[in-house]
Amino acid sequence: MKLSVLSIALVVSLISVKAQTKYSADWESLQNYQAPEWYEDAKIGFWVHWGVYSVPAFKGGHAAEWYGRWMYCQRGQSSRNNQGLATHLHHNEVYGPPEEFGYKDFIPMFKAENFNADEWADLCVKGGAKFFTMMGAHHDAFCLWDTKLSKWNSVNMGPKRDLVGEMAEAARLKGLKFGVSNHTAWNYCFFEWNHINRYDAVNPAYEDLYGNPIVQASADTIRMYDGETRKIWIPRSRGAVKPSERDMNRWLDRTKELADMYKPDLYYFDWGFNPKEWESRKQQFGAYYYNNAIEAGKGTMGNPNVVINYKGWPTWRQGAAVRDFERGGMNDIADMVWQTDDCVYDDHNWGYVEGTPIKPTNMIVDQLMDIISKRGVLMLSFAPKPDGTFPEEQKTMMYELGDWLNICGEAVYSTRPYEIFGEVGELWGQKNETGHKMYTATNQDIRFTRNKENTILYATILKWPSDGKFMITSMSETDLSNLKSMRMIGAKGKIKFEQSNEGLLLSLPKQPNYKYAYPIKMVFKGQIPSVK
């Protein structure tokens, strides 16, 4: 009897130990999370917005990747002064009425005939990226992987290729970490105007593409843009559609499948599962993904060595994953690594649109330095054409960014924030006419990073001063007695400096041949001194 009791106690003990080595599907457990060192070391990754929406490539009053939403949207049904109406009118004029040519009818036109995964991975390496995140599916729920859960995928239709699988293999062969991007939680709402206005979403044959949400709306008769009168559905309040159980279960099943098939090191989620109905499924996936990484030997409980990106509370619980800011970021140094996701395009647009200008490379570099000085990571999105090639100006940006990182990368990769992130000029972070922050540096802008050993400080000047002099005001009282050397990376000549109550005045050498930001490397005999 005693042996039996001891045996039972041992089994209970072993079960208890095992339970502590795995995550459970609740926030308290999931908050036992530490982001991977490889991720915090990487600093920059590339990703893409690419899919069926790349075919019409029309942004109208909003964004090209939202074409499938706005093509079904009637006058008065979208926010921001009928932002979706331009797409609806364009679709009627170019492709015909949505009841005759639906979003599904673009799929055969998305062929990706010139897509080359090796070339994409090579561009990432040349651009200085350390990880690549592939679009798995946008809000339209057309899967770019070989899913067994829906016929609406790039293997059965369109390209007839496993685009995610090809990129996973190519990226890893180039030494890149590989991530996937999943926006499908909002699929139930993305096509709400298709459901509300009773277009092709009412056909059950298409529900795996368009979703089958619970529609809560009432019918009214209104006068249309062309003078005809037609009965359409107008929502009486926000929440005109809600996710059905099928929509939420479908999301969880596909999300798990994508993780199982390609073992991504990073899993990016857009917003879309904010409503409380999603809570248990988010927790289920978090535990599932982290535990799979542990079972695969990637990491351990507390540090599974993989990344989940989420966009703020209540999308995910703080500390249970890596917070992401769309086109934004932290104002100061964070306690935990975080991420900015941004695009080479400005405004709201992320998908390919011919002739749309991209941001200057200089702005991207300045933004990168600001982000990493505050313990962030930049995931920069590009927009390929529907055939799978990148516009030349986007490739040029990659080359320019990579050239700068080849010279100045030691001030970027594997660094950590200093005790202050830097000094900010008067133009930094001002908003443009679309409400987005502009990263415009002046000759007052400087950002700090340091090596992990805390013996080398990098002070990166974001704009070259016309007189060759730069003042670091925060270092007016810094003890520089153990300063071993000071030089500008990639520049010839010495830096002369003079410390006063106003700050540390630097007389810089001749401007180096490279463009953009200019890191000054300060090597100390011991630990980097405090700014006091």
Side-chain angles (χ1 to χ4, degrees):
M1 178 64 69
K2 289 184 178 180
L3 181 61
S4 176
V5 171
L6 288 173
S7 299
I8 293 171
L10 180 60
V11 170
V12 171
S13 176
L14 289 173
I15 292 173
S16 177
V17 170
K18 184 176 180 181
Q20 295 173 10
T21 63
K22 293 289 184 70
Y23 286 92
S24 56
D26 60 79
W27 292 126
E28 184 178 359
S29 176
L30 293 171
Q31 284 176 305
N32 293 306
Y33 173 78
Q34 178 183 338
E37 187 172 20
W38 69 258
Y39 175 71
E40 192 163 1
D41 286 349
K43 305 304 181 190
I44 183 167
F46 290 168
W47 65 317
V48 291
H49 277 68
W50 187 51
V52 176
Y53 45 84
S54 304
V55 174
F58 180 82
K59 66 178 182 177
H62 184 231
E65 70 278 5
W66 281 42
Y67 191 98
R69 175 172 175 79
W70 298 133
M71 63 175 280
Y72 295 105
C73 179
Q74 302 287 353
R75 186 185 299 277
Q77 290 184 327
S78 66
S79 58
R80 297 174 186 160
N81 300 317
N82 276 309
Q83 64 176 339
L85 186 59
T87 300
H88 176 74
L89 298 177
H90 170 83
H91 187 83
N92 273 270
E93 180 180 353
V94 177
Y95 302 102
E99 58 264 41
E100 297 177 9
F101 191 106
Y103 187 73
K104 66 186 184 303
D105 297 308
F106 283 116
I107 294 173
M109 302 165 68
F110 176 53
K111 299 178 180 179
E113 62 270 25
N114 294 315
F115 167 67
N116 186 309
D118 291 331
E119 290 181 2
W120 279 31
D122 190 53
L123 283 170
C124 287
V125 173
K126 289 179 178 177
K130 297 300 182 182
F131 63 94
F132 176 79
T133 300
M134 181 61 176
M135 180 63 67
H138 204 259
H139 303 315
D140 62 2
F142 184 75
C143 301
L144 303 188
W145 77 91
D146 190 15
T147 177
K148 304 301 186 290
L149 302 175
S150 171
K151 71 176 184 180
W152 303 96
N153 67 73
S154 63
V155 177
N156 288 343
M157 303 175 181
K160 303 292 181 68
R161 298 167 66 176
D162 182 356
L163 303 174
V164 173
E166 290 183 39
M167 273 311 306
E169 181 179 2
R172 286 170 169 148
L173 284 174
K174 291 286 185 179
L176 299 166
K177 293 289 186 178
F178 179 72
V180 292
S181 176
N182 186 339
H183 305 236
T184 57
W186 206 60
N187 174 250
Y188 78 92
C189 198
F190 184 68
F191 288 110
E192 67 177 316
W193 302 117
N194 191 351
H195 290 278
I196 290 170
N197 293 330
R198 314 291 290 172
Y199 287 121
D200 52 343
V202 300
N203 189 330
Y206 307 140
E207 64 184 12
D208 270 350
L209 183 67
Y210 297 135
N212 58 335
I214 300 168
V215 179
Q216 297 177 327
S218 58
D220 265 349
T221 301
I222 69 168
R223 188 164 297 280
M224 303 300 292
Y225 68 90
D226 58 1
E228 296 180 2
T229 299
R230 175 184 172 189
K231 182 171 286 189
I232 69 168
W233 292 75
I234 304 291
R236 287 306 177 202
S237 63
R238 286 175 102 40
V241 296
K242 291 187 176 182
S244 65
E245 285 293 308
R246 185 182 184 281
D247 285 328
M248 292 186 287
N249 289 335
R250 180 184 64 166
W251 173 85
L252 182 59
D253 291 343
R254 292 188 192 179
T255 300
K256 286 181 175 180
E257 181 195 58
L258 184 56
D260 288 341
M261 291 180 67
Y262 307 102
K263 305 294 188 293
D265 303 294
L266 179 148
Y267 210 124
Y268 170 91
F269 289 110
D270 203 17
W271 48 270
F273 38 36
N274 297 40
K276 62 182 180 180
E277 293 95 330
W278 289 92
E279 195 79 350
S280 65
R281 290 168 179 85
K282 289 185 290 187
Q283 294 169 336
Q284 287 176 56
F285 177 74
Y288 185 84
Y289 180 59
Y290 289 160
N291 288 336
N292 278 2
I294 294 170
E295 291 174 5
K298 287 187 175 183
T300 58
M301 175 68 183
N303 186 4
N305 208 34
V306 291
V307 176
I308 289 177
N309 290 141
Y310 73 97
K311 289 188 175 178
W313 172 258
T315 305
W316 216 265
R317 191 64 61 87
Q318 186 176 357
V322 174
R323 184 175 181 181
D324 175 88
F325 296 83
E326 181 175 319
R327 297 188 187 269
M330 298 289 289
N331 293 322
D332 211 331
I333 300 170
D335 294 332
M336 178 179 174
V337 64
W338 51 276
Q339 178 175 283
T340 288
D341 73 275
D342 210 335
C343 182
V344 295
Y345 291 137
D346 196 7
D347 196 19
H348 300 285
N349 190 64
W350 296 69
Y352 168 72
V353 178
E354 184 177 2
T356 301
I358 64 173
K359 297 173 183 174
T361 307
N362 184 55
M363 182 181 291
I364 299 298
V365 171
D366 291 347
Q367 181 185 14
L368 172 65
M369 294 311 300
D370 182 70
I371 290 167
I372 69 173
S373 72
K374 300 169 183 174
R375 206 178 176 184
V377 173
L378 173 63
M379 191 166 75
L380 183 64
S381 181
F382 292 84
K385 299 177 182 179
D387 69 351
T389 60
F390 288 92
E392 288 301 316
E393 65 271 18
Q394 293 187 29
K395 291 195 291 185
T396 297
M397 175 190 280
M398 295 182 202
Y399 299 145
E400 291 176 345
L401 183 57
D403 288 344
W404 182 82
L405 285 165
N406 281 337
I407 299 170
C408 302
E410 68 171 280
V412 177
Y413 303 123
S414 299
T415 59
R416 295 295 183 267
Y418 182 42
E419 60 184 50
I420 61 172
F421 72 84
E423 298 174 15
V424 181
E426 58 185 357
L427 298 180
W428 189 264
Q430 289 190 356
K431 293 183 178 180
N432 61 13
E433 63 277 3
T434 63
H436 291 112
K437 288 185 177 180
M438 299 297 292
Y439 302 99
T440 305
T442 68
N443 55 13
Q444 289 90 43
D445 275 286
I446 190 168
R447 300 295 185 270
F448 294 117
T449 53
R450 62 170 177 85
N451 67 346
K452 293 181 186 179
E453 294 75 21
N454 197 41
T455 58
I456 300 175
L457 178 66
Y458 299 97
T460 302
I461 298 170
L462 300 190
K463 184 177 181 180
W464 187 266
S466 58
D467 61 358
K469 296 183 183 297
F470 191 90
M471 177 74 78
I472 306 178
T473 59
S474 56
M475 300 187 76
S476 61
E477 298 181 19
T478 303
D479 182 4
L480 300 177
S481 60
N482 67 338
L483 179 64
K484 186 176 180 180
S485 65
M486 181 191 297
R487 67 178 182 86
M488 177 169 285
I489 294 176
K492 296 179 179 179
K494 296 182 178 180
I495 295 176
K496 297 179 181 180
F497 61 91
E498 181 180 351
Q499 194 173 31
S500 69
N501 292 334
E502 295 181 359
L504 185 65
L505 179 62
L506 308 179
S507 296
L508 305 176
K510 182 181 178 182
Q511 187 172 357
N513 291 330
Y514 63 81
K515 299 181 288 185
Y516 318 131
Y518 306 91
I520 295 170
K521 181 178 181 179
M522 302 181 189
V523 181
F524 293 88
K525 295 177 184 178
Q527 296 291 287
I528 301 170
S530 172
V531 292
K532 294 185 179 180

